[in-house]
Amino acid sequence: WKGFPYFYRHTEYGYMSRPGLGDPFILQSCKADFVPHSSDVNITSFPKAGTTWMQEIAYLVDHMDLEYDESPLDVRCPFLEVRLHPLPAGLDILPTLSYPRHLKWHSALDLLPSGILENSKVIHIARNPKDLCVSYYHFARMNKHFGFVGSFNDFFDCFIKGEVPFGPFWENILSFWRQRDHPNLLFITYEELQDNLERSISKVGEFLGRELTVDQIADIASRVTFDAMSTNPLVNHSHWDKLGLRVSTEATFFRKGKVGDWMEHFSEEQNEIMNRWIEVKSADTGLKFQYTL
Ligand code: A3P
């Protein structure tokens, strides 16, 4: 395994794809082509932080009084930065979206279209880097476009070096963390959601200016449990199978959905390496993660 040479560090952004894997996986800059709207809800994250979970929560919160749109989450809340044939490309479906638009992004804040924070709302979902690394490893093995065939240790090395798509991890997460007090940004964690789903839903509601009743919160909570989402074909990415995007059958998109799964994967040495890395990278930032509940 030689790493992910073609699609990480999007400092120049542009078009990147990994050759030899059939239809290209293209990451596209939206900076020039996207104009934020004041009612936009942007879900941002480093991959595997719980993006899908937050996309569905925010969508349900924002559409509580409307009929549930029976289209897949990819369509209701598209990922504009990717062109992943044969799925519709984000920017192409932009004109078909109704307002408030819900949009998903994985890049660092400075790589997103300018004005996104000033002119619209941003929900950033973050996850502790140990569980995130494990989840990303399984995802990279499962997804055809990543074509990852290495061991967990190989992936761990790439992750620490920042050489994974949308890496480096710290540049990405800190770009949002630094703006955590901005009135248009909600910084929330995967672990908070796991710890108290109802409270987290209510927080999202307050942020989006939606007053939710206790019953509405309970209703949303029941629709976004791991079991409910993993069996809901509109959100569980099972259509990827039909499109041939899942190469490894050992994992599904909804894998474990736990806090602390890293303990099943990390060697003592890896844990020490990551602890040191976290200490150095998060020094003086005030950012702390939860690694168990
Ligand atoms: P695991 O691989 O640890 O199971 P993303 O959407 O950013 O790609 O994140 C995917 C991760 O979030 C996966 O983690 C997935 O199982 C988890 N996840 C998605 N929906 C969830 C839910 N409703 N409850 C708990 N975890 C969820």
Side-chain angles (χ1 to χ4, degrees), residues 48-53 127 135 190 224 226 253-257:
K48 311 321 289 175
T51 327
T52 314
W53 199 4
R127 187 179 191 180
S135 180
Y190 182 89
V224 300
F226 184 84
F253 190 92
F254 281 74
R255 201 181 54 88
K256 283 204 180 164

Side-chain angles (χ1 to χ4, degrees), residues 144-203:
K144 167 182 158 185
H145 290 278
F146 280 62
F148 180 78
V149 289
S151 65
F152 177 63
N153 202 42
D154 295 331
F155 189 85
F156 182 90
D157 284 347
C158 294
F159 184 72
I160 293 267
K161 283 193 225 143
E163 296 177 354
V164 291
F166 300 100
F169 175 79
W170 291 100
E171 283 174 25
N172 193 311
I173 193 170
L174 290 176
S175 69
F176 294 96
W177 174 248
R178 287 192 196 101
Q179 297 290 343
R180 63 193 177 282
D181 294 328
H182 193 292
N184 286 344
L185 182 87
L186 175 67
F187 190 99
I188 191 164
T189 66
Y190 182 89
E191 292 77 24
E192 260 179 276
L193 259 63
Q194 285 278 11
D195 186 43
N196 194 330
L197 188 55
E198 280 82 2
R199 196 177 56 209
S200 305
I201 293 169
S202 149
K203 211 169 173 178

Side-chain angles (χ1 to χ4, degrees), residues 60-61 64-65 198 201-202 211-223:
L60 290 174
V61 165
M64 204 59 233
D65 306 324
E198 280 82 2
I201 293 169
S202 149
E211 270 187 42
L212 300 172
T213 64
V214 172
D215 287 349
Q216 284 174 323
I217 293 173
D219 178 38
I220 295 174
S222 70
R223 295 204 232 171

Side-chain angles (χ1 to χ4, degrees), residues 26-291:
I26 296 176
L27 295 169
Q28 55 190 9
S29 171
C30 302
K31 254 188 183 300
D33 307 308
F34 180 80
V35 182
H37 184 270
S38 58
S39 64
D40 288 346
V41 177
N42 300 283
I43 312 300
T44 66
S45 64
F46 198 80
K48 311 321 289 175
T51 327
T52 314
W53 199 4
M54 184 46 74
Q55 281 175 277
E56 183 67 348
I57 291 173
Y59 188 88
L60 290 174
V61 165
D62 218 19
H63 295 79
M64 204 59 233
D65 306 324
L66 304 171
E67 226 168 272
Y68 183 75
D69 182 339
E70 294 284 329
S71 36
L73 190 56
D74 286 349
V75 175
R76 284 182 277 130
C77 180
F79 181 26
L80 302 189
E81 302 174 281
V82 78
R83 189 174 282 272
L84 207 166
H85 184 81
L87 295 176
L91 279 174
D92 295 347
I93 60 173
L94 207 47
T96 67
L97 289 179
S98 54
Y99 292 85
R101 299 183 300 191
H102 279 230
L103 307 157
K104 155 180 160 178
W105 309 89
H106 276 324
S107 288
L109 186 56
D110 41 304
L111 296 172
L112 296 185
S114 44
I116 209 162
L117 189 57
E118 289 70 27
N119 302 329
S120 57
K121 289 214 151 56
V122 175
I123 302 178
H124 186 79
I125 170 114
R127 187 179 191 180
N128 83 64
K130 296 184 184 180
D131 281 327
L132 187 143
C133 178
V134 169
S135 180
Y136 211 172
Y137 159 70
H138 286 288
F139 181 75
R141 288 175 68 85
M142 171 195 119
N143 187 299
K144 167 182 158 185
H145 290 278
F146 280 62
F148 180 78
V149 289
S151 65
F152 177 63
N153 202 42
D154 295 331
F155 189 85
F156 182 90
D157 284 347
C158 294
F159 184 72
I160 293 267
K161 283 193 225 143
E163 296 177 354
V164 291
F166 300 100
F169 175 79
W170 291 100
E171 283 174 25
N172 193 311
I173 193 170
L174 290 176
S175 69
F176 294 96
W177 174 248
R178 287 192 196 101
Q179 297 290 343
R180 63 193 177 282
D181 294 328
H182 193 292
N184 286 344
L185 182 87
L186 175 67
F187 190 99
I188 191 164
T189 66
Y190 182 89
E191 292 77 24
E192 260 179 276
L193 259 63
Q194 285 278 11
D195 186 43
N196 194 330
L197 188 55
E198 280 82 2
R199 196 177 56 209
S200 305
I201 293 169
S202 149
K203 211 169 173 178
V204 171
E206 268 169 43
F207 177 68
L208 295 182
R210 303 270 169 198
E211 270 187 42
L212 300 172
T213 64
V214 172
D215 287 349
Q216 284 174 323
I217 293 173
D219 178 38
I220 295 174
S222 70
R223 295 204 232 171
V224 300
T225 60
F226 184 84
D227 287 347
M229 282 186 66
S230 59
T231 50
N232 177 355
L234 297 179
V235 300
N236 70 6
H237 293 82
S238 52
H239 60 298
W240 284 14
D241 289 0
K242 293 185 206 106
L243 301 172
L245 297 178
R246 185 157 73 107
V247 280
S248 160
T249 46
E250 90 193 26
T252 49
F253 190 92
F254 281 74
R255 201 181 54 88
K256 283 204 180 164
K258 296 250 177 304
V259 179
D261 186 41
W262 62 272
M263 289 184 260
E264 308 287 325
H265 289 75
F266 276 41
S267 65
E268 241 173 71
E269 193 194 352
Q270 285 166 340
N271 196 29
E272 278 168 24
I273 293 172
M274 196 173 275
N275 283 342
R276 275 199 300 278
W277 177 73
I278 293 168
E279 207 180 309
V280 170
K281 297 288 188 180
S282 64
D284 305 324
T285 64
L287 178 57
K288 298 256 181 291
F289 292 104
Q290 261 181 291
Y291 299 95

